[in-house]
Amino acid sequence: MNWQNVFPPELSSLAEHFSLEKVLIDRDATKLLICFLSDALVEEKEYLLIRKAFGKAFPGMRVSLRVCSPALADDFMRDVNAYVPFLTSCLVRYQPGVRPWLADASWRVEDGRLVVSICSEAAMQYVKHVDMDRKLVQLLQDVFRLQME
């Protein structure tokens, strides 16, 4: 089976940006992890369509999908603001309560660190309470393979 044929037809142009990194199957052949590298950022809607397509292609297995874009890491470091909508979307999916505060946040990379400035003390306490900094660090590792604080 050619993995590119599994992509939904409406995402066939996106498939050109993907390369298969690895596939892992558990011993019981009930779980499948598919890892791709992509030189294009994959938004949630696209990700869900791809995961659904692979789930249909492997019935009876629980399919997990990972898409990493390390090729975009340098661009991210140069122009973090171009990625703020994507990062905000991911963080809001994890914790919807941060949406109003992230809308007014400022983002910058400073000395190899990502700095997100939030305007109120209450917002800062909430973000710390829901462990958003840890989630953001993990997101940067998962998507760009960046080790940041």
PDB file of all heavy atoms in Angstrom, residues 30-49:
ATOM      1  N   THR A  30      -2.798  -4.127  17.356  1.00  0.00           N
ATOM      2  CA  THR A  30      -4.038  -3.381  17.580  1.00  0.00           C
ATOM      3  C   THR A  30      -3.804  -1.874  17.559  1.00  0.00           C
ATOM      4  O   THR A  30      -4.749  -1.107  17.442  1.00  0.00           O
ATOM      5  CB  THR A  30      -4.669  -3.752  18.946  1.00  0.00           C
ATOM      6  OG1 THR A  30      -3.721  -3.482  19.980  1.00  0.00           O
ATOM      7  CG2 THR A  30      -5.082  -5.213  18.973  1.00  0.00           C
ATOM      8  N   LYS A  31      -2.538  -1.466  17.673  1.00  0.00           N
ATOM      9  CA  LYS A  31      -2.192  -0.046  17.683  1.00  0.00           C
ATOM     10  C   LYS A  31      -1.142   0.227  16.616  1.00  0.00           C
ATOM     11  O   LYS A  31      -0.170  -0.512  16.484  1.00  0.00           O
ATOM     12  CB  LYS A  31      -1.650   0.378  19.042  1.00  0.00           C
ATOM     13  CG  LYS A  31      -2.626   0.200  20.169  1.00  0.00           C
ATOM     14  CD  LYS A  31      -1.977   0.530  21.498  1.00  0.00           C
ATOM     15  CE  LYS A  31      -2.875   0.115  22.640  1.00  0.00           C
ATOM     16  NZ  LYS A  31      -2.175   0.173  23.924  1.00  0.00           N
ATOM     17  N   LEU A  32      -1.372   1.314  15.896  1.00  0.00           N
ATOM     18  CA  LEU A  32      -0.476   1.694  14.812  1.00  0.00           C
ATOM     19  C   LEU A  32      -0.089   3.158  14.997  1.00  0.00           C
ATOM     20  O   LEU A  32      -0.969   4.005  15.144  1.00  0.00           O
ATOM     21  CB  LEU A  32      -1.198   1.509  13.470  1.00  0.00           C
ATOM     22  CG  LEU A  32      -0.502   1.961  12.200  1.00  0.00           C
ATOM     23  CD1 LEU A  32       0.734   1.104  11.932  1.00  0.00           C
ATOM     24  CD2 LEU A  32      -1.468   1.874  11.019  1.00  0.00           C
ATOM     25  N   LEU A  33       1.198   3.430  15.025  1.00  0.00           N
ATOM     26  CA  LEU A  33       1.701   4.798  15.101  1.00  0.00           C
ATOM     27  C   LEU A  33       2.400   5.105  13.788  1.00  0.00           C
ATOM     28  O   LEU A  33       3.332   4.404  13.385  1.00  0.00           O
ATOM     29  CB  LEU A  33       2.684   4.975  16.267  1.00  0.00           C
ATOM     30  CG  LEU A  33       3.419   6.305  16.332  1.00  0.00           C
ATOM     31  CD1 LEU A  33       2.449   7.463  16.562  1.00  0.00           C
ATOM     32  CD2 LEU A  33       4.498   6.280  17.409  1.00  0.00           C
ATOM     33  N   ILE A  34       1.908   6.155  13.111  1.00  0.00           N
ATOM     34  CA  ILE A  34       2.489   6.581  11.840  1.00  0.00           C
ATOM     35  C   ILE A  34       3.097   7.961  12.043  1.00  0.00           C
ATOM     36  O   ILE A  34       2.397   8.880  12.483  1.00  0.00           O
ATOM     37  CB  ILE A  34       1.412   6.642  10.733  1.00  0.00           C
ATOM     38  CG1 ILE A  34       0.697   5.305  10.624  1.00  0.00           C
ATOM     39  CG2 ILE A  34       2.038   7.050   9.410  1.00  0.00           C
ATOM     40  CD1 ILE A  34      -0.559   5.352   9.782  1.00  0.00           C
ATOM     41  N   CYS A  35       4.377   8.093  11.753  1.00  0.00           N
ATOM     42  CA  CYS A  35       5.081   9.363  11.928  1.00  0.00           C
ATOM     43  C   CYS A  35       5.541   9.892  10.576  1.00  0.00           C
ATOM     44  O   CYS A  35       6.228   9.188   9.825  1.00  0.00           O
ATOM     45  CB  CYS A  35       6.297   9.180  12.840  1.00  0.00           C
ATOM     46  SG  CYS A  35       5.881   8.571  14.483  1.00  0.00           S
ATOM     47  N   PHE A  36       5.159  11.124  10.309  1.00  0.00           N
ATOM     48  CA  PHE A  36       5.536  11.796   9.076  1.00  0.00           C
ATOM     49  C   PHE A  36       6.387  13.015   9.382  1.00  0.00           C
ATOM     50  O   PHE A  36       6.239  13.643  10.431  1.00  0.00           O
ATOM     51  CB  PHE A  36       4.298  12.295   8.314  1.00  0.00           C
ATOM     52  CG  PHE A  36       3.500  11.226   7.654  1.00  0.00           C
ATOM     53  CD1 PHE A  36       2.298  10.806   8.201  1.00  0.00           C
ATOM     54  CD2 PHE A  36       3.934  10.647   6.465  1.00  0.00           C
ATOM     55  CE1 PHE A  36       1.541   9.828   7.585  1.00  0.00           C
ATOM     56  CE2 PHE A  36       3.182   9.668   5.842  1.00  0.00           C
ATOM     57  CZ  PHE A  36       1.977   9.250   6.398  1.00  0.00           C
ATOM     58  N   LEU A  37       7.231  13.369   8.436  1.00  0.00           N
ATOM     59  CA  LEU A  37       7.904  14.657   8.419  1.00  0.00           C
ATOM     60  C   LEU A  37       7.231  15.470   7.331  1.00  0.00           C
ATOM     61  O   LEU A  37       6.855  14.937   6.287  1.00  0.00           O
ATOM     62  CB  LEU A  37       9.392  14.502   8.107  1.00  0.00           C
ATOM     63  CG  LEU A  37      10.210  13.725   9.128  1.00  0.00           C
ATOM     64  CD1 LEU A  37      11.643  13.546   8.635  1.00  0.00           C
ATOM     65  CD2 LEU A  37      10.188  14.412  10.479  1.00  0.00           C
ATOM     66  N   SER A  38       7.067  16.753   7.585  1.00  0.00           N
ATOM     67  CA  SER A  38       6.424  17.613   6.605  1.00  0.00           C
ATOM     68  C   SER A  38       7.142  18.950   6.556  1.00  0.00           C
ATOM     69  O   SER A  38       7.515  19.496   7.599  1.00  0.00           O
ATOM     70  CB  SER A  38       4.953  17.837   6.975  1.00  0.00           C
ATOM     71  OG  SER A  38       4.361  18.781   6.113  1.00  0.00           O
ATOM     72  N   ASP A  39       7.303  19.478   5.351  1.00  0.00           N
ATOM     73  CA  ASP A  39       7.884  20.816   5.233  1.00  0.00           C
ATOM     74  C   ASP A  39       6.785  21.868   5.145  1.00  0.00           C
ATOM     75  O   ASP A  39       7.040  23.018   4.818  1.00  0.00           O
ATOM     76  CB  ASP A  39       8.841  20.902   4.044  1.00  0.00           C
ATOM     77  CG  ASP A  39       8.167  20.675   2.708  1.00  0.00           C
ATOM     78  OD1 ASP A  39       6.940  20.457   2.671  1.00  0.00           O
ATOM     79  OD2 ASP A  39       8.872  20.718   1.684  1.00  0.00           O
ATOM     80  N   ALA A  40       5.558  21.459   5.456  1.00  0.00           N
ATOM     81  CA  ALA A  40       4.416  22.380   5.520  1.00  0.00           C
ATOM     82  C   ALA A  40       3.721  22.175   6.858  1.00  0.00           C
ATOM     83  O   ALA A  40       3.662  21.052   7.364  1.00  0.00           O
ATOM     84  CB  ALA A  40       3.444  22.112   4.379  1.00  0.00           C
ATOM     85  N   LEU A  41       3.228  23.238   7.403  1.00  0.00           N
ATOM     86  CA  LEU A  41       2.501  23.163   8.659  1.00  0.00           C
ATOM     87  C   LEU A  41       1.134  22.532   8.418  1.00  0.00           C
ATOM     88  O   LEU A  41       0.453  22.858   7.452  1.00  0.00           O
ATOM     89  CB  LEU A  41       2.338  24.577   9.231  1.00  0.00           C
ATOM     90  CG  LEU A  41       2.162  24.719  10.728  1.00  0.00           C
ATOM     91  CD1 LEU A  41       3.277  24.037  11.492  1.00  0.00           C
ATOM     92  CD2 LEU A  41       2.114  26.188  11.091  1.00  0.00           C
ATOM     93  N   VAL A  42       0.746  21.626   9.275  1.00  0.00           N
ATOM     94  CA  VAL A  42      -0.528  20.918   9.128  1.00  0.00           C
ATOM     95  C   VAL A  42      -1.494  21.420  10.198  1.00  0.00           C
ATOM     96  O   VAL A  42      -1.260  21.240  11.389  1.00  0.00           O
ATOM     97  CB  VAL A  42      -0.325  19.393   9.240  1.00  0.00           C
ATOM     98  CG1 VAL A  42      -1.649  18.656   9.113  1.00  0.00           C
ATOM     99  CG2 VAL A  42       0.665  18.916   8.189  1.00  0.00           C
ATOM    100  N   GLU A  43      -2.560  22.040   9.749  1.00  0.00           N
ATOM    101  CA  GLU A  43      -3.574  22.572  10.661  1.00  0.00           C
ATOM    102  C   GLU A  43      -4.460  21.434  11.177  1.00  0.00           C
ATOM    103  O   GLU A  43      -4.465  20.331  10.626  1.00  0.00           O
ATOM    104  CB  GLU A  43      -4.429  23.619   9.944  1.00  0.00           C
ATOM    105  CG  GLU A  43      -3.653  24.818   9.448  1.00  0.00           C
ATOM    106  CD  GLU A  43      -3.179  25.758  10.549  1.00  0.00           C
ATOM    107  OE1 GLU A  43      -3.680  25.659  11.694  1.00  0.00           O
ATOM    108  OE2 GLU A  43      -2.313  26.595  10.259  1.00  0.00           O
ATOM    109  N   GLU A  44      -5.226  21.731  12.210  1.00  0.00           N
ATOM    110  CA  GLU A  44      -6.040  20.714  12.866  1.00  0.00           C
ATOM    111  C   GLU A  44      -7.017  20.023  11.907  1.00  0.00           C
ATOM    112  O   GLU A  44      -7.136  18.794  11.908  1.00  0.00           O
ATOM    113  CB  GLU A  44      -6.820  21.329  14.028  1.00  0.00           C
ATOM    114  CG  GLU A  44      -7.718  20.328  14.735  1.00  0.00           C
ATOM    115  CD  GLU A  44      -8.536  20.942  15.853  1.00  0.00           C
ATOM    116  OE1 GLU A  44      -8.700  22.168  15.894  1.00  0.00           O
ATOM    117  OE2 GLU A  44      -9.035  20.165  16.678  1.00  0.00           O
ATOM    118  N   LYS A  45      -7.707  20.786  11.096  1.00  0.00           N
ATOM    119  CA  LYS A  45      -8.692  20.205  10.172  1.00  0.00           C
ATOM    120  C   LYS A  45      -8.032  19.198   9.238  1.00  0.00           C
ATOM    121  O   LYS A  45      -8.549  18.092   9.017  1.00  0.00           O
ATOM    122  CB  LYS A  45      -9.374  21.318   9.375  1.00  0.00           C
ATOM    123  CG  LYS A  45     -10.423  20.834   8.415  1.00  0.00           C
ATOM    124  CD  LYS A  45     -11.051  21.991   7.657  1.00  0.00           C
ATOM    125  CE  LYS A  45     -12.035  21.482   6.612  1.00  0.00           C
ATOM    126  NZ  LYS A  45     -12.582  22.558   5.796  1.00  0.00           N
ATOM    127  N   GLU A  46      -6.894  19.567   8.692  1.00  0.00           N
ATOM    128  CA  GLU A  46      -6.160  18.673   7.793  1.00  0.00           C
ATOM    129  C   GLU A  46      -5.676  17.433   8.531  1.00  0.00           C
ATOM    130  O   GLU A  46      -5.796  16.307   8.039  1.00  0.00           O
ATOM    131  CB  GLU A  46      -4.970  19.410   7.180  1.00  0.00           C
ATOM    132  CG  GLU A  46      -5.362  20.602   6.335  1.00  0.00           C
ATOM    133  CD  GLU A  46      -4.219  21.579   6.142  1.00  0.00           C
ATOM    134  OE1 GLU A  46      -3.328  21.673   7.023  1.00  0.00           O
ATOM    135  OE2 GLU A  46      -4.213  22.264   5.111  1.00  0.00           O
ATOM    136  N   TYR A  47      -5.136  17.649   9.723  1.00  0.00           N
ATOM    137  CA  TYR A  47      -4.631  16.550  10.544  1.00  0.00           C
ATOM    138  C   TYR A  47      -5.739  15.531  10.815  1.00  0.00           C
ATOM    139  O   TYR A  47      -5.547  14.322  10.665  1.00  0.00           O
ATOM    140  CB  TYR A  47      -4.062  17.103  11.858  1.00  0.00           C
ATOM    141  CG  TYR A  47      -3.694  16.041  12.852  1.00  0.00           C
ATOM    142  CD1 TYR A  47      -2.446  15.431  12.813  1.00  0.00           C
ATOM    143  CD2 TYR A  47      -4.595  15.628  13.826  1.00  0.00           C
ATOM    144  CE1 TYR A  47      -2.108  14.444  13.716  1.00  0.00           C
ATOM    145  CE2 TYR A  47      -4.263  14.644  14.737  1.00  0.00           C
ATOM    146  CZ  TYR A  47      -3.024  14.051  14.682  1.00  0.00           C
ATOM    147  OH  TYR A  47      -2.686  13.070  15.574  1.00  0.00           O
ATOM    148  N   LEU A  48      -6.916  16.021  11.206  1.00  0.00           N
ATOM    149  CA  LEU A  48      -8.029  15.124  11.530  1.00  0.00           C
ATOM    150  C   LEU A  48      -8.489  14.342  10.301  1.00  0.00           C
ATOM    151  O   LEU A  48      -8.820  13.151  10.405  1.00  0.00           O
ATOM    152  CB  LEU A  48      -9.181  15.914  12.143  1.00  0.00           C
ATOM    153  CG  LEU A  48      -8.894  16.512  13.528  1.00  0.00           C
ATOM    154  CD1 LEU A  48     -10.050  17.396  13.977  1.00  0.00           C
ATOM    155  CD2 LEU A  48      -8.597  15.420  14.551  1.00  0.00           C
ATOM    156  N   LEU A  49      -8.505  14.982   9.141  1.00  0.00           N
ATOM    157  CA  LEU A  49      -8.881  14.282   7.908  1.00  0.00           C
ATOM    158  C   LEU A  49      -7.874  13.178   7.564  1.00  0.00           C
ATOM    159  O   LEU A  49      -8.257  12.078   7.156  1.00  0.00           O
ATOM    160  CB  LEU A  49      -8.986  15.265   6.753  1.00  0.00           C
ATOM    161  CG  LEU A  49     -10.199  16.190   6.750  1.00  0.00           C
ATOM    162  CD1 LEU A  49     -10.051  17.267   5.670  1.00  0.00           C
ATOM    163  CD2 LEU A  49     -11.475  15.390   6.536  1.00  0.00           C
TER     164      LEU A  49
END
